[in-house]
């Protein structure tokens, strides 16, 4: 079935460091891809999305590009801040319509000043 | 516009007790979902409802039942709670693009 694999954490970075969190997927057809962020004690919030190959999603300085040839959707940020400390989830919907999101296991990021 | 709301926020049960987790959304979404989140396991789908009047099992449905009361509300029931059901439960809703909006979660402990 459809699945998402993320790099395992935790990831610890110093403030202003470059961030990459790897995400690869297995799906039939053309899924939509998402990154969600979960701050401590809160629910999940959509960070960015991409719905077709070569689309780039971006928000709050984070970017991810939908790479069909490598089935990847890696999350990047050029300069992280302490406030970016959170758990990041990569997710997909197998196809358009009302189908449930399939999540990776999450990657915890800690940014230290 | 409250988005997705869940009640209660916290709950402690004894083994064998029953309870219902409530979820409501005001975004006129057709689809609603219940996930559980456990350390190292990510989010796992318990049940979902693609539209009012329909429900389907997800990855981990055993021990749970759901009711799609109307378009706004989707409840999750534990008939006889077990310690393995200690988790954080998230309700979500979505429109046709699959984009999910999540509630703040219910933290459940079963002793």
């Amino acid at each position: 079935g459809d699945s998402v694999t993320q790099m395992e954490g935790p990831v610890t970075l110093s403030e202003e460091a470059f961030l990459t969190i790897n995400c690869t997927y297995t799906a039939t057809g053309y899924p939509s891809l998402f990154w969600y962020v979960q701050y401590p004690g809160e629910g999940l919030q959509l960070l960015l999305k991409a719905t077709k190959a070569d689309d780039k999603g971006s928000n709050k300085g984070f970017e991810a590009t939908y790479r069909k040839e490598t089935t990847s959707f890696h999350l990047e940020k050029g300069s992280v801040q302490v406030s970016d400390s959170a758990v990041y989830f990569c997710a997909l919907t197998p196809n358009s319509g009302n189908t449930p999101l399939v999540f990776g296991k999450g990657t915890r990021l800690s940014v230290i000043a | 516009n409250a988005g997705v709301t869940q009640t209660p926020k916290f709950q402690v049960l004894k083994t064998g007790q029953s309870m219902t987790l409530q979820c409501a959304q005001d975004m006129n979404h057709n689809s609603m979902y219940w996930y559980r989140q456990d350390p190292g396991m990510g989010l796992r789908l318990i049940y979902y409802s693609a539209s009012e009047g329909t429900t389907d099992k997800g990855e981990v449905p055993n021990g749970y039942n759901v009711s799609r009361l109307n378009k706004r509300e989707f409840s999750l029931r534990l008939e006889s709670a077990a310690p393995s059901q200690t988790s954080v439960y998230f309700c979500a809703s979505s429109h046709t693009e699959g984009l999910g909006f999540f509630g703040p979660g219910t933290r459940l402990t079963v002793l």
Side-chain angles (χ1 to χ4, degrees), chain A residues 14-82:
Chain A
S14 297
E15 209 166 22
E16 299 184 4
F18 185 87
L19 168 71
T20 300
I21 299 178
N22 290 337
C23 171
T24 57
Y25 67 89
T26 301
T28 55
Y30 301 94
S32 294
L33 302 174
F34 306 86
W35 277 100
Y36 280 83
V37 58
Q38 183 181 32
Y39 298 104
E42 298 184 10
L44 277 72
Q45 304 173 26
L46 177 69
L47 182 59
L48 52 85
K49 68 174 182 177
T51 58
K52 61 182 188 296
D54 300 325
D55 266 3
K56 177 185 285 188
S58 62
N59 186 25
K60 299 181 180 180
F62 291 89
E63 293 183 339
T65 301
Y66 189 143
R67 301 287 189 198
K68 190 172 185 300
E69 64 275 15
T70 55
T71 62
S72 65
F73 193 55
H74 304 321
L75 182 68
E76 297 182 336
K77 186 175 185 182
S79 176
V80 294
Q81 305 300 312
V82 172

Side-chain angles (χ1 to χ4, degrees), chain A residues 32 34 36 38 41-46 48-49 51 87 89 92-93 95-106, chain B residues 30-31 33 35 37 40-45 48 50-51 88 90 94-105 107:
Chain A
S32 294
F34 306 86
Y36 280 83
Q38 183 181 32
E42 298 184 10
L44 277 72
Q45 304 173 26
L46 177 69
L48 52 85
K49 68 174 182 177
T51 58
V87 181
F89 292 92
L92 65 81
T93 51
N95 50 51
S96 62
N98 299 319
T99 49
L101 286 161
V102 175
F103 285 90
K105 292 186 177 182
Chain B
N30 284 323
S31 297
Y33 314 88
Y35 290 88
Q37 182 179 27
M41 300 295 290
L43 278 84
R44 294 182 291 171
L45 183 68
Y48 68 103
S51 62
V88 181
F90 288 100
S94 73
H95 50 54
T96 54
E97 293 177 6
L99 176 61
F101 293 84
F102 283 78
R107 188 174 297 274

Side-chain angles (χ1 to χ4, degrees), chain B residues 12-76:
Chain B
V12 179
L13 294 177
K14 294 181 180 179
T15 297
Q17 288 185 317
S18 62
M19 79 161 296
T20 300
L21 281 64
Q22 306 287 352
C23 173
Q25 52 94 7
D26 62 2
M27 295 172 283
N28 202 35
H29 288 164
N30 284 323
S31 297
M32 297 186 73
Y33 314 88
W34 277 105
Y35 290 88
R36 60 177 288 173
Q37 182 179 27
D38 302 292
M41 300 295 290
L43 278 84
R44 294 182 291 171
L45 183 68
I46 304 171
Y47 270 94
Y48 68 103
S49 171
S51 62
E52 187 178 353
T54 68
T55 61
D56 287 285
K57 295 179 180 180
E59 182 184 353
V60 289
N62 290 344
Y64 305 96
N65 285 300
V66 290
S67 295
R68 184 72 183 268
L69 304 171
N70 47 55
K71 193 170 187 178
R72 290 187 63 251
E73 299 173 287
F74 188 40
S75 63
L76 178 72

